[in-house]
Amino acid sequence: MVSKTDDIPASVPNCNSVDPAEGDTPDSNETTKTVLKDPCGCAHSADTAMMNGNGGHDHSEEADSKQEGSGADADPGEEANEQEVIVIQDTGFTVKIQAPGTEPFDLQVSPQEMVQEIHQVLMDREDTCHRTCFSLQLDGNVLDNFAELKSIEGLQEGSVLKVVEEPYTVREARIHVRHIRDLLKSMDPSDAYNGVDCNSLSFLSVFTDGDLGDSGKRKKKGSELEQIDCTPPEHILPGSKERPLVPLQPQNKDWKPLQCLKVLTMSGWNPPPGNRKMHGDLMYLYIVTVEERHVSLTASTRGFYLNQSTTYSFNPKPANPSFLSHSLVELLSQISPAFKKNFTALQKKRVQRHPFERIATPFQVYSWTAPQIDHAMDCVRAEDAYTSRLGYEEHIPGQTRDWNEELQTTRELPRKNLPERLLRERAIFKVHSDFAAAATRGAMAVIDGNVMAINPGEETRMQMFIWNNIFFSLGFDVRDHYRELGGDAAAHAAPTNDLNGVRAYGAVDVEGLYTLGTVVVDYRGYRVTAQSIIPGILEREQEQSVIYGSIDFGKTVVSHPKYLELLEKTSRPLKVQRHAVLNEKEAPVELCSSVECKGIIGNDGRHYILDLLRTFPPDLNFLPVDGEELPPECQRLGFPRQHRHRLACLRQELIEAFVEHRYLLFMKMAALQLMQQKANKDNKVAAVTDGTNAEPEGTSAAPQNATPASDSATPNSAATPSESTATPAETNQTPPESQPAEADTANSAPATAAVATEATKEQAKAPAVTTNGTPEPAAHDEQARECESPLEDPKSREVVLNACKAVGSISDTSFDIRFNPDIFSPGVRFLDSSADAIQKQKQLLKDAAAFLVSCQIPSLVKDCLDHSALPMDGATLTEALHQRGINIRYLGTVLDFVDKTPAKTQLEYFYRIGVTELITRCAKHIFKTYLQGVELSALSAAVSHFLNCFLSSFPDAVAHLPADELVSRRKNRKRRNRVPGGGDNTTWSSLTPAELWKNIVSEAQTYYHFTLQGESVDQAVEKYGLHKITLLREISVKAGIQILIKEYNFDSRHKPAFTEEDILNIFPVVKHVNPKASDAFHFFQSGQAKVQQGFLKEGCELINEALNLFNNVYGAMHMEICACLRLLARLNYIMGDHPEALNNQQKAVLMSERVLGIEHPNTIQEYMHLALYCFANGQLSTALKLLYRARYLMLMVCGEDHPEMALLDSNIGLVLHGVMEYDLSLRFLENALAINSKYHGPRSLKVALSHHLVARVYESKAEFRSALQHEKEGYTIYKNQVGEAHEKTKESSEYLKYLTQQAVALQRTMNEIYKNGSNASIMPLKFTAPSMASVLEQLNIINGIIFIPLSQKDLENLKAEVQRRQMLQEASKSEETSEDVPTELDDKLPVDD
């Protein structure tokens, strides 16, 4: 979730709180916490710790992951960690590399590296990149490629490794040609546009002119600073109505590729005949040089040489001269001067690029726009497309990969200590990303008709496929499997539900329980599920294989003790209740999952579970059941509603939040009853929860008035504890940073609750969140929730029993809520004896459904109102809903709720994004079935026709039937057996805009229960303030359409906007599991917690450590590494190391562009941070270019009317003020003022600051009247909000005095001139150009960073306090670290505004 500026957290012990909202006085006993909205620095609001969308899926941590990297008080586990980590970072050493034809050079290596990694380095270096077939020798001994350096005898600091050319084999020759082809293509972006080989786009270097070193600094010309051209392009000025598409992909001058060769391809004379084979010929190449010389080459065991063959005559004898060279590059350099010159230049450019611009991403990212690229001849691409290269045979002996074996073996790797866990997680991640790539490729091949079905006799929809050891099935209801559940709609929803189940079981990671590799691919309107294959499953009927669960939705059910034992381990983290169902013989069968979940023991002896589509309980709001009434809060909103299928489940995040909420209720009731009984303090009921290593999902503490205690509760979902202890009795350790519980009940009762708040603004508004300080336990530590001390006293036992009953716990002695996923499943029958339990379960499900609509939806809206959640586009909106456990099918309900909110105007942007999302999702549903009927040759015509009907104002869009290119002589007779994607009807061409919009409106009504106003795109745009370019982006991204990047005229009433030439490609939309790096994540969170407490230096060290571990698991490119880099940059900046901040932030921007996409909201945020650090480094023109880019992207993604735009415009306005472009500066600052007033309310402190910034520019322009007017507004707000005595109010009043003096002086001078004409004696006026320091200070303030100067005495107190804290925390490490914490900061300490 893109959150408000992710301000850097810091806590300031013993000094004034600098929150402008409250004038606190220092208090010697209390720590003033300064906390932030986005502690993780990963652009997600603080109420989630996840970094990429599937929050909650790894809440059930590895059962045996021993160390909880707790932030607040380091436990022995963490100490052990830090010891373990050191093991990995063995010191590196230097070796000398001696390669033929180059000077020897030094190379830094680490003992963990394999010899192979040196090979890779040499193949990438500019001077050795053209060698692939060589060995490394130490003292004449060849080194084994797969040996670790530390295992090689005699290899030490200063050893000389010789590069020795080896004879070629056919495989080596192929690898060499492939490598040379890659070097020639290294600057060519076409792979990124085509979405292959994990290449993706990045445009940062266009705006920073390559390097971020000294470029962009203002040069001195004599005494004057040279002028910078700061004029922004017209279309990004505030108020501009233009939304051009072309600037999305600016021209990168490096991409005009230097042509080194015209053609490099395999010769038609391959393979060599027998007699030539025996002369050492391996293969023949055909080459056309830039000078138009056509030559034929032989690759032989000794290297490459020219032969005498021509296109039509074969003569393999060496030409004269033959130029035998071991490297193809050397040979080509001899025969083509242009090749030599251009290849050298190309390699220079290649090595100058930032590595992050060329490293492959872990998962493919597709671009929805692309320019027209020339299709060049490429032998390797052609070979890859048409050989049976299914992946990686040339790198892996034994041909195709056994995906299942690889996926399961990596899970079985040991995980006792940190190095083992890292190795395991790295292997799991690598196999997963390879599997996702292979599955995507296979799914596309299936739909494109390139794979033979395993049941070719059946009709298309029923076919199944196997390719590359992956099983593919289509998302249709074959054999009426889902007839009772909603037919095709259910068959379409089942794969994603199943994937969520796989994700959940994978995150729990129970040893001995295996799930299948699963990837869901949507492509050309079809949904394909790709799964790894259980060994032996294809040889027997399913009935014989299944030994647990049911294959007919509960009519026949079997169970198995081993499965029960394994699934029992998952039941607590996944909240699944063990239960008994009746089988066809009326006998009870024990299950610990839903009936559909099948257990199969593979031929490899592993216990697999599959069909996990009902892992989570059903959502009763969308499952009408006869005779069941929903709670009134659901009924008021019109639930239950009929859904397309009966597989609607609650999300895991909702279950977590609901259980959390019930737990608070349980604690409160127990405490309240204990108080009422006035039990004495000795009756201890300890349920200590220690939640340092997880931040719960959007927990919302709003109990449904179950007890009197709950009335004061507010939905407080932004608060995420970094440490909370809550017990109904005294706890023996209160963490050092806990606040005293505010409410008096906490003192009068044996209940202390300590809550450390994080990014919550609640504290300012309502200090007593609940009667006893709302403890919020973390989602991980289920174990800790049981009341472990024996309940000797019958009274307290009764209290717990009552509380358990009230919250629906399945145990009477401890809090334990679990769900039975089979309730309301058609066909499942329960024992009569369990009727009570079943009734309880039904009630629990109803409560959960009510909790979603009465707590989670309001809490989401509240978070948007107080700006702790700020969705910018469809993806971030979806993420915001999912983090709080709200399914997308509730989108209409959420929008209606927003519409009825009193503060509706402050949610206008949210409403607009929601409506855009709703319209494009409806369009996607229609587009999906529309595409299924289109044959391949008509695809581009059909897609352009659909987009015209959807977005073009042209009323009678007519489809062009693709009869123009080829006219067939013979009408082809219908073939019975078509490929899946081979529909050939032309009904698609009869779609009209009016009909499509009618369908969209009815889809919105039936699916989302939302009433859309408008019968055409123009009416909808008018009514809801939408932008067509935004709609185009959303539908393209969702449906996988790639369009030509050019300006589209949507509003022409005379011709349609799109032609078939504008549709370049259709991409798959892929869903898969994202394996996590758990240890790295714990370090990251501990680092955040440290930073939160003000220990910047230790925080920085922990974050650096996390970065190392992330790199170790994910490789160089990943979403979470991006978050790490951003936080590091922020810390560097605060600690005064601007160049390092710039360096880390540049990496974060590049990574965000590459991994998330060039216009993803996160990328926009990263651009803004980078601009700030550029400005601090004196690179003003670069800072402006970056801010203009961010503004352009934001206009494209969500339009101008968005709270985040105010921050962006304030940044731009300030920088322009700094370079003395006053008029421009005013346009941006006044726009920011307007947006702030709208979204924060006219009396907000943000608005006061905006007024002040505008006043400063007017002052610089000497327009004092306007300046005074704005500053007075600001002053009034400060006075009303924080009082006369606050320093902000005083500052403002000082500034007002100064402006008044200036205004008076100016008036005098003017009068003087009027009176005395030209001979007036004019007093010099002070016109101040702002200093860079003052501009930077304001920039820091608006971006949420304030430095406060501290006196020496304050510093001494601070040091003492820090030392005292640290001794409490880490007795062992207190001395060395505490002395240098505060002094690092140049006697300033950062806090949040």
Short mmCIF file of all heavy atoms in Angstrom, two decimals, residues 863-906:
data_model
loop_
_atom_site.label_atom_id
_atom_site.label_comp_id
_atom_site.label_asym_id
_atom_site.label_seq_id
_atom_site.Cartn_x
_atom_site.Cartn_y
_atom_site.Cartn_z
N ASP A 863 -8.56 4.61 7.50
CA ASP A 863 -7.13 4.73 7.15
C ASP A 863 -6.92 5.66 5.96
O ASP A 863 -5.92 6.35 5.89
CB ASP A 863 -6.54 3.36 6.81
CG ASP A 863 -6.30 2.53 8.07
OD1 ASP A 863 -6.42 3.11 9.16
OD2 ASP A 863 -6.01 1.33 7.96
N CYS A 864 -7.86 5.62 5.02
CA CYS A 864 -7.72 6.52 3.87
C CYS A 864 -7.98 7.95 4.30
O CYS A 864 -7.36 8.89 3.79
CB CYS A 864 -8.68 6.12 2.76
SG CYS A 864 -8.20 4.56 2.03
N LEU A 865 -8.89 8.14 5.24
CA LEU A 865 -9.17 9.50 5.71
C LEU A 865 -7.98 10.08 6.46
O LEU A 865 -7.68 11.27 6.33
CB LEU A 865 -10.40 9.50 6.63
CG LEU A 865 -11.74 9.57 5.90
CD1 LEU A 865 -12.88 9.39 6.88
CD2 LEU A 865 -11.88 10.89 5.16
N ASP A 866 -7.31 9.23 7.27
CA ASP A 866 -6.17 9.83 7.97
C ASP A 866 -4.86 9.59 7.22
O ASP A 866 -3.78 9.72 7.77
CB ASP A 866 -6.11 9.39 9.44
CG ASP A 866 -5.87 7.91 9.59
OD1 ASP A 866 -5.35 7.29 8.64
OD2 ASP A 866 -6.18 7.36 10.67
N HIS A 867 -4.97 9.19 5.96
CA HIS A 867 -3.82 9.11 5.05
C HIS A 867 -2.77 8.09 5.46
O HIS A 867 -1.62 8.20 5.08
CB HIS A 867 -3.15 10.49 4.89
CG HIS A 867 -4.10 11.51 4.35
ND1 HIS A 867 -4.31 11.69 3.02
CD2 HIS A 867 -4.95 12.36 4.98
CE1 HIS A 867 -5.23 12.63 2.83
NE2 HIS A 867 -5.63 13.05 4.01
N SER A 868 -3.17 7.08 6.25
CA SER A 868 -2.17 6.04 6.48
C SER A 868 -2.27 4.98 5.38
O SER A 868 -1.41 4.13 5.27
CB SER A 868 -2.34 5.40 7.86
OG SER A 868 -3.66 5.00 8.05
N ALA A 869 -3.33 5.05 4.58
CA ALA A 869 -3.39 4.22 3.37
C ALA A 869 -3.73 5.16 2.22
O ALA A 869 -4.66 5.94 2.33
CB ALA A 869 -4.48 3.17 3.52
N LEU A 870 -2.94 5.09 1.15
CA LEU A 870 -3.19 6.00 0.02
C LEU A 870 -3.08 5.26 -1.30
O LEU A 870 -2.07 5.36 -1.98
CB LEU A 870 -2.13 7.11 0.01
CG LEU A 870 -2.35 8.32 0.90
CD1 LEU A 870 -1.20 9.28 0.75
CD2 LEU A 870 -3.64 9.02 0.53
N PRO A 871 -4.12 4.51 -1.66
CA PRO A 871 -4.02 3.82 -2.95
C PRO A 871 -3.90 4.81 -4.10
O PRO A 871 -4.46 5.91 -4.02
CB PRO A 871 -5.33 3.03 -3.05
CG PRO A 871 -6.22 3.58 -2.01
CD PRO A 871 -5.39 4.27 -1.00
N MET A 872 -3.14 4.43 -5.13
CA MET A 872 -2.97 5.34 -6.27
C MET A 872 -3.57 4.77 -7.54
O MET A 872 -3.89 5.49 -8.46
CB MET A 872 -1.49 5.56 -6.53
CG MET A 872 -0.96 6.83 -5.98
SD MET A 872 0.63 7.15 -6.73
CE MET A 872 1.54 7.66 -5.32
N ASP A 873 -3.61 3.42 -7.62
CA ASP A 873 -4.15 2.82 -8.84
C ASP A 873 -4.86 1.54 -8.45
O ASP A 873 -4.97 1.20 -7.27
CB ASP A 873 -3.03 2.55 -9.86
CG ASP A 873 -2.08 1.46 -9.37
OD1 ASP A 873 -2.11 1.11 -8.17
OD2 ASP A 873 -1.30 0.96 -10.20
N GLY A 874 -5.33 0.80 -9.45
CA GLY A 874 -6.07 -0.43 -9.18
C GLY A 874 -5.28 -1.43 -8.34
O GLY A 874 -5.80 -2.02 -7.40
N ALA A 875 -4.00 -1.60 -8.69
CA ALA A 875 -3.20 -2.63 -8.00
C ALA A 875 -3.03 -2.28 -6.53
O ALA A 875 -3.17 -3.13 -5.65
CB ALA A 875 -1.85 -2.76 -8.68
N THR A 876 -2.73 -0.99 -6.24
CA THR A 876 -2.50 -0.62 -4.84
C THR A 876 -3.82 -0.59 -4.06
O THR A 876 -3.84 -0.85 -2.86
CB THR A 876 -1.78 0.74 -4.73
OG1 THR A 876 -2.37 1.65 -5.65
CG2 THR A 876 -0.31 0.59 -5.07
N LEU A 877 -4.93 -0.31 -4.76
CA LEU A 877 -6.24 -0.36 -4.10
C LEU A 877 -6.56 -1.82 -3.72
O LEU A 877 -6.97 -2.10 -2.59
CB LEU A 877 -7.32 0.17 -5.05
CG LEU A 877 -8.76 0.01 -4.55
CD1 LEU A 877 -9.03 0.98 -3.41
CD2 LEU A 877 -9.77 0.24 -5.65
N THR A 878 -6.33 -2.72 -4.67
CA THR A 878 -6.57 -4.14 -4.42
C THR A 878 -5.75 -4.60 -3.22
O THR A 878 -6.23 -5.31 -2.34
CB THR A 878 -6.15 -4.96 -5.66
OG1 THR A 878 -6.83 -4.42 -6.79
CG2 THR A 878 -6.51 -6.42 -5.50
N GLU A 879 -4.49 -4.15 -3.19
CA GLU A 879 -3.60 -4.54 -2.10
C GLU A 879 -4.13 -4.02 -0.77
O GLU A 879 -4.09 -4.73 0.24
CB GLU A 879 -2.23 -3.95 -2.40
CG GLU A 879 -1.10 -4.69 -1.79
CD GLU A 879 0.23 -4.16 -2.31
OE1 GLU A 879 0.45 -4.14 -3.53
OE2 GLU A 879 1.03 -3.75 -1.48
N ALA A 880 -4.63 -2.78 -0.78
CA ALA A 880 -5.15 -2.19 0.47
C ALA A 880 -6.34 -3.01 0.97
O ALA A 880 -6.47 -3.26 2.17
CB ALA A 880 -5.57 -0.75 0.23
N LEU A 881 -7.20 -3.43 0.06
CA LEU A 881 -8.36 -4.23 0.47
C LEU A 881 -7.88 -5.58 1.01
O LEU A 881 -8.29 -6.02 2.08
CB LEU A 881 -9.31 -4.46 -0.71
CG LEU A 881 -10.40 -3.40 -0.88
CD1 LEU A 881 -9.91 -2.23 -1.68
CD2 LEU A 881 -11.64 -3.99 -1.53
N HIS A 882 -6.98 -6.21 0.24
CA HIS A 882 -6.54 -7.55 0.63
C HIS A 882 -5.82 -7.55 1.98
O HIS A 882 -5.96 -8.48 2.76
CB HIS A 882 -5.62 -8.13 -0.46
CG HIS A 882 -6.40 -8.60 -1.64
ND1 HIS A 882 -5.79 -9.03 -2.81
CD2 HIS A 882 -7.72 -8.71 -1.86
CE1 HIS A 882 -6.73 -9.38 -3.67
NE2 HIS A 882 -7.91 -9.19 -3.12
N GLN A 883 -5.03 -6.50 2.24
CA GLN A 883 -4.32 -6.47 3.52
C GLN A 883 -5.28 -6.48 4.69
O GLN A 883 -4.94 -6.95 5.77
CB GLN A 883 -3.46 -5.21 3.62
CG GLN A 883 -2.13 -5.38 2.94
CD GLN A 883 -1.47 -4.04 2.74
OE1 GLN A 883 -1.98 -3.01 3.18
NE2 GLN A 883 -0.35 -4.04 2.08
N ARG A 884 -6.46 -5.95 4.48
CA ARG A 884 -7.44 -5.93 5.56
C ARG A 884 -8.41 -7.09 5.45
O ARG A 884 -9.43 -7.12 6.13
CB ARG A 884 -8.19 -4.59 5.56
CG ARG A 884 -7.27 -3.46 5.98
CD ARG A 884 -7.76 -2.10 5.54
NE ARG A 884 -6.79 -1.08 5.89
CZ ARG A 884 -5.70 -0.82 5.21
NH1 ARG A 884 -5.43 -1.50 4.11
NH2 ARG A 884 -4.86 0.13 5.58
N GLY A 885 -8.11 -8.01 4.53
CA GLY A 885 -8.95 -9.21 4.40
C GLY A 885 -10.25 -8.98 3.65
O GLY A 885 -11.18 -9.76 3.77
N ILE A 886 -10.32 -7.88 2.88
CA ILE A 886 -11.55 -7.61 2.14
C ILE A 886 -11.38 -8.13 0.71
O ILE A 886 -10.44 -7.74 0.02
CB ILE A 886 -11.83 -6.09 2.10
CG1 ILE A 886 -11.85 -5.51 3.52
CG2 ILE A 886 -13.13 -5.80 1.38
CD1 ILE A 886 -11.81 -4.00 3.57
N ASN A 887 -12.27 -9.01 0.27
CA ASN A 887 -12.17 -9.52 -1.09
C ASN A 887 -12.61 -8.46 -2.09
O ASN A 887 -13.40 -7.57 -1.76
CB ASN A 887 -13.07 -10.75 -1.28
CG ASN A 887 -12.85 -11.78 -0.20
OD1 ASN A 887 -13.22 -11.57 0.95
ND2 ASN A 887 -12.25 -12.89 -0.55
N ILE A 888 -12.13 -8.61 -3.34
CA ILE A 888 -12.49 -7.62 -4.36
C ILE A 888 -13.99 -7.64 -4.66
O ILE A 888 -14.55 -6.64 -5.08
CB ILE A 888 -11.68 -7.88 -5.65
CG1 ILE A 888 -10.23 -7.47 -5.42
CG2 ILE A 888 -12.24 -7.10 -6.82
CD1 ILE A 888 -10.02 -5.98 -5.25
N ARG A 889 -14.66 -8.78 -4.39
CA ARG A 889 -16.11 -8.79 -4.69
C ARG A 889 -16.87 -7.80 -3.81
O ARG A 889 -18.02 -7.51 -4.04
CB ARG A 889 -16.68 -10.20 -4.56
CG ARG A 889 -16.49 -10.84 -3.21
CD ARG A 889 -17.16 -12.21 -3.08
NE ARG A 889 -16.71 -12.87 -1.87
CZ ARG A 889 -15.64 -13.65 -1.78
NH1 ARG A 889 -14.91 -13.86 -2.85
NH2 ARG A 889 -15.29 -14.20 -0.63
N TYR A 890 -16.20 -7.28 -2.75
CA TYR A 890 -16.83 -6.26 -1.89
C TYR A 890 -16.61 -4.85 -2.41
O TYR A 890 -16.98 -3.90 -1.75
CB TYR A 890 -16.27 -6.35 -0.46
CG TYR A 890 -16.77 -7.51 0.33
CD1 TYR A 890 -16.04 -8.69 0.40
CD2 TYR A 890 -17.98 -7.44 1.03
CE1 TYR A 890 -16.51 -9.78 1.13
CE2 TYR A 890 -18.44 -8.52 1.77
CZ TYR A 890 -17.70 -9.69 1.81
OH TYR A 890 -18.16 -10.75 2.54
N LEU A 891 -15.98 -4.71 -3.58
CA LEU A 891 -15.61 -3.36 -4.05
C LEU A 891 -16.83 -2.45 -4.14
O LEU A 891 -16.79 -1.30 -3.71
CB LEU A 891 -14.91 -3.46 -5.42
CG LEU A 891 -14.35 -2.19 -6.00
CD1 LEU A 891 -13.40 -1.52 -5.02
CD2 LEU A 891 -13.61 -2.46 -7.31
N GLY A 892 -17.95 -2.98 -4.66
CA GLY A 892 -19.16 -2.17 -4.75
C GLY A 892 -19.63 -1.71 -3.37
O GLY A 892 -19.99 -0.55 -3.16
N THR A 893 -19.57 -2.64 -2.41
CA THR A 893 -19.98 -2.32 -1.02
C THR A 893 -19.08 -1.22 -0.46
O THR A 893 -19.56 -0.29 0.20
CB THR A 893 -19.86 -3.58 -0.14
OG1 THR A 893 -20.45 -4.68 -0.86
CG2 THR A 893 -20.54 -3.39 1.18
N VAL A 894 -17.76 -1.36 -0.69
CA VAL A 894 -16.82 -0.36 -0.18
C VAL A 894 -17.15 1.01 -0.79
O VAL A 894 -17.20 2.03 -0.08
CB VAL A 894 -15.36 -0.75 -0.52
CG1 VAL A 894 -14.40 0.36 -0.15
CG2 VAL A 894 -14.98 -2.04 0.20
N LEU A 895 -17.41 1.03 -2.10
CA LEU A 895 -17.69 2.31 -2.76
C LEU A 895 -18.99 2.93 -2.23
O LEU A 895 -19.07 4.14 -2.02
CB LEU A 895 -17.76 2.13 -4.27
CG LEU A 895 -16.41 1.82 -4.94
CD1 LEU A 895 -16.59 1.54 -6.42
CD2 LEU A 895 -15.43 2.97 -4.75
N ASP A 896 -20.00 2.08 -2.00
CA ASP A 896 -21.25 2.61 -1.44
C ASP A 896 -21.01 3.19 -0.05
O ASP A 896 -21.54 4.23 0.32
CB ASP A 896 -22.33 1.51 -1.36
CG ASP A 896 -22.87 1.17 -2.74
OD1 ASP A 896 -22.74 2.05 -3.64
OD2 ASP A 896 -23.38 0.05 -2.95
N PHE A 897 -20.17 2.50 0.72
CA PHE A 897 -19.85 2.96 2.07
C PHE A 897 -19.17 4.33 2.00
O PHE A 897 -19.50 5.26 2.75
CB PHE A 897 -18.95 1.94 2.77
CG PHE A 897 -18.65 2.28 4.20
CD1 PHE A 897 -19.52 1.90 5.21
CD2 PHE A 897 -17.50 2.99 4.55
CE1 PHE A 897 -19.25 2.22 6.54
CE2 PHE A 897 -17.22 3.31 5.87
CZ PHE A 897 -18.11 2.92 6.86
N VAL A 898 -18.23 4.47 1.07
CA VAL A 898 -17.52 5.76 0.89
C VAL A 898 -18.51 6.84 0.50
O VAL A 898 -18.47 7.97 0.99
CB VAL A 898 -16.42 5.63 -0.19
CG1 VAL A 898 -15.87 6.99 -0.57
CG2 VAL A 898 -15.29 4.72 0.31
N ASP A 899 -19.43 6.46 -0.37
CA ASP A 899 -20.41 7.42 -0.87
C ASP A 899 -21.28 7.96 0.26
O ASP A 899 -21.73 9.10 0.22
CB ASP A 899 -21.28 6.73 -1.92
CG ASP A 899 -21.91 7.74 -2.86
OD1 ASP A 899 -21.30 8.81 -3.05
OD2 ASP A 899 -22.99 7.47 -3.39
N LYS A 900 -21.52 7.13 1.28
CA LYS A 900 -22.40 7.56 2.38
C LYS A 900 -21.61 8.18 3.53
O LYS A 900 -22.19 8.60 4.52
CB LYS A 900 -23.19 6.36 2.90
CG LYS A 900 -24.15 5.76 1.87
CD LYS A 900 -25.03 4.69 2.49
CE LYS A 900 -26.03 4.11 1.51
NZ LYS A 900 -25.41 3.22 0.51
N THR A 901 -20.26 8.19 3.42
CA THR A 901 -19.46 8.75 4.51
C THR A 901 -19.63 10.27 4.53
O THR A 901 -19.63 10.89 3.48
CB THR A 901 -17.96 8.43 4.28
OG1 THR A 901 -17.85 7.03 4.06
CG2 THR A 901 -17.10 8.82 5.46
N PRO A 902 -19.76 10.85 5.73
CA PRO A 902 -19.91 12.32 5.79
C PRO A 902 -18.71 13.02 5.13
O PRO A 902 -18.86 14.03 4.46
CB PRO A 902 -19.94 12.62 7.29
CG PRO A 902 -20.18 11.32 7.97
CD PRO A 902 -19.86 10.21 7.05
N ALA A 903 -17.49 12.47 5.33
CA ALA A 903 -16.30 13.13 4.79
C ALA A 903 -16.06 12.71 3.34
O ALA A 903 -14.92 12.50 2.92
CB ALA A 903 -15.09 12.77 5.63
N LYS A 904 -17.13 12.61 2.58
CA LYS A 904 -17.03 12.05 1.23
C LYS A 904 -16.04 12.81 0.35
O LYS A 904 -15.30 12.22 -0.43
CB LYS A 904 -18.42 12.07 0.60
CG LYS A 904 -18.49 11.43 -0.75
CD LYS A 904 -19.89 11.53 -1.32
CE LYS A 904 -19.84 11.28 -2.83
NZ LYS A 904 -21.12 11.54 -3.46
N THR A 905 -16.02 14.16 0.49
CA THR A 905 -15.14 14.92 -0.42
C THR A 905 -13.67 14.56 -0.18
O THR A 905 -12.87 14.59 -1.10
CB THR A 905 -15.29 16.43 -0.22
OG1 THR A 905 -15.27 16.68 1.19
CG2 THR A 905 -16.58 16.94 -0.82
N GLN A 906 -13.34 14.21 1.08
CA GLN A 906 -11.94 13.87 1.35
C GLN A 906 -11.59 12.48 0.83
O GLN A 906 -10.44 12.06 0.91
CB GLN A 906 -11.66 13.93 2.86
CG GLN A 906 -11.77 15.34 3.39
CD GLN A 906 -11.29 15.44 4.83
OE1 GLN A 906 -10.56 14.60 5.32
NE2 GLN A 906 -11.70 16.51 5.50
#
